Amino acid sequence: MRKTPVSTRRAPRLRASLVAVAIAAISGASLTGSPASAAAPTTDTTQFKGVNWADPRDNFADDELQLSGLSTSDTYAQTYTKASRIISAFRANLGANTVRLPINPYTVNGSYWKSYRGVIDAATAHGFKVIVSYWEGTGDRKDGFIDDEATYWPMWNTVVKAYKGNSRVYFEPMNEPHGYTDTEWADIAAKWLDTYKSVPRNRVFVSGAGYNDHVTTVCADPRLKGTYLSLHHYGFWKSYATYDEWVADLKVRIGDCANRTVADEFGAPMTTGLNYNVKTPDDNFVNFIQAVTDTFRELKMGSVYWPGLRTDDIYSVQKLVGPPSKPWLETTNQSGADRLAWAWGRGTPVKG
């Protein structure tokens, strides 16, 4: 789930409000699941310290994805050069080592795939881990289901063939599969694993059910053992919660599965002047960011912030600077960057 700037798109904002109501119902609920039958790929997931790099349209598109700072008219070489600079800026400004990227059939099954590969290739060449995740389309297609299996599976055939041999590339079969029940989604994830048996399971991220908002059911499914699990968590899901309430809300969504889980989306406003380095108990978003980054560090969980870069998104912790042919990034909120560093095992705790 991505945060859409209030000033630009009212319909997704309304959808986000409805989503928040649905997800809030999960808080405090009994989410079944046990890691006993789902062996973890590693003892923890702290190796993933990352950000999402997004299309300004929130990654929901019925055509080729155009990541912020790139152009669908760019050649492979131009894409590689621009991506190299942006990836280098993620590392220099934030200390990131992971980037999550969207894919869809329009991007992969058409001619633009040759250029788009430049992003993945540049990132891995710079030592980054890359999580590639399928996004559904927009409009009526934005319903939490795979849009068209006739194009979905050929897309993954192409991506897996290209990158199964690159140990820095990880595969996430679908972002936020909220159209399916927990059982239906687990069935699809199991089918993906069975289809691509040549992909090591510790290179697969299985999304939590719903809006990636809880991982307990996929964690408990023995068919999905050995995979990573991806969780999403957002401050706008509640109008207000205390620090302790946010910690409790996050932990119930994880259950006993922290050693397999990566929070590959979480975020809060970064361009509105909030200071995340100082305790501010009456501010919901400050409570949220401080709670989740402390908890990720405590549970030794990897995390991938939403978004590292998305044009015109108030949640974006980076913004583009410089000429389009030689992009670089600046940090939009140093205190937000400091909380990411803390989550990733560096930095200092919150003051006050």
Side-chain angles (χ1 to χ4, degrees):
M1 182 183 309
R2 274 66 42 204
K3 184 68 175 181
T4 302
V6 176
S7 60
T8 58
R9 288 168 62 190
R10 295 185 64 186
R13 174 70 172 174
L14 176 60
R15 173 181 174 271
S17 299
L18 295 173
V19 169
V21 171
I23 292 174
I26 295 173
S27 301
S30 176
L31 299 176
T32 60
S34 167
S37 60
T42 59
T43 56
D44 63 51
T45 61
T46 53
Q47 66 269 38
F48 298 100
K49 313 172 196 295
V51 293
N52 283 267
W53 183 2
D55 184 308
R57 298 169 296 175
D58 219 16
N59 292 347
F60 296 99
D62 291 330
D63 57 7
E64 296 90 348
L65 290 156
Q66 183 172 314
L67 301 183
S68 300
L70 302 184
S71 171
T72 54
S73 64
D74 288 340
T75 64
Y76 174 90
Q78 290 170 323
T79 301
Y80 188 99
T81 297
K82 291 180 180 180
S84 292
R85 294 181 62 84
I86 289 173
I87 291 295
S88 295
F90 284 146
R91 173 180 282 133
N93 295 352
L94 301 173
N97 70 3
T98 301
V99 65
R100 182 169 177 252
L101 302 172
I103 57 171
N104 66 18
Y106 305 98
T107 304
V108 175
N109 296 346
S111 60
Y112 183 55
W113 175 236
K114 181 178 179 181
S115 294
Y116 195 77
R117 286 190 62 175
V119 182
I120 303 172
D121 294 348
T124 58
H126 283 77
F128 263 54
K129 300 172 182 65
V130 176
I131 304 165
V132 288
S133 181
Y134 162 68
W135 252 260
E136 60 189 314
T138 190
D140 292 341
R141 292 175 177 265
K142 198 173 177 182
D143 55 8
F145 293 100
I146 294 169
D147 288 340
D148 181 3
E149 292 203 27
T151 58
Y152 172 86
W153 293 108
M155 173 195 71
W156 277 118
N157 291 343
T158 297
V159 175
V160 169
K161 181 179 179 180
Y163 290 107
K164 68 180 179 180
N166 188 330
S167 63
R168 292 192 175 115
V169 178
Y170 298 78
F171 308 95
E172 189 174 53
M174 185 176 182
N175 172 73
E176 297 184 349
H178 60 91
Y180 302 103
T181 66
D182 288 31
T183 300
E184 289 170 341
W185 168 238
D187 289 344
I188 292 170
K191 179 180 178 180
W192 197 101
L193 292 170
D194 189 60
T195 301
Y196 303 109
K197 292 179 180 178
S198 62
V199 176
R201 289 192 170 218
N202 64 359
R203 299 250 315 277
V204 179
F205 278 60
V206 174
S207 294
Y211 287 87
N212 279 69
D213 56 72
H214 61 285
V215 299
T216 47
T217 53
V218 289
C219 183
D221 194 317
R223 298 174 299 171
L224 310 179
K225 66 181 180 180
T227 64
Y228 290 106
L229 310 173
S230 62
L231 180 76
H232 294 179
H233 202 223
Y234 280 99
F236 73 90
W237 289 353
K238 296 178 183 290
S239 59
Y240 175 79
T242 66
Y243 173 97
D244 289 339
E245 287 169 341
W246 276 121
V247 170
D249 182 86
L250 175 59
K251 287 185 174 180
V252 77
R253 299 173 188 278
I254 299 167
D256 295 326
C257 306
N259 63 334
R260 293 176 64 192
T261 301
V262 176
D264 70 5
E265 281 192 29
F266 70 102
M270 290 292 163
T271 62
T272 59
L274 291 175
N275 185 346
Y276 294 105
N277 282 337
V278 177
K279 291 182 180 180
T280 312
D282 60 347
D283 191 284
N284 180 59
F285 289 115
V286 173
N287 290 340
F288 169 79
I289 286 292
Q290 292 176 355
V292 298
T293 53
D294 282 353
T295 303
F296 297 154
R297 185 176 176 120
E298 173 197 344
L299 298 180
K300 297 183 179 179
M301 280 177 54
S303 58
V304 183
Y305 180 81
W306 177 278
L309 178 63
R310 180 187 171 211
T311 303
D312 295 328
D313 189 334
I314 63 171
Y315 278 37
S316 189
V317 74
Q318 299 286 285
K319 66 178 181 180
L320 287 162
V321 294
S325 62
K326 293 183 178 180
W328 193 251
L329 303 178
E330 286 184 354
T331 299
T332 59
N333 186 317
Q334 187 57 50
S335 70
D338 291 344
R339 291 306 96 215
L340 296 185
W342 179 251
W344 297 341
R346 309 191 321 271
T348 57
V350 169
K351 300 175 182 177

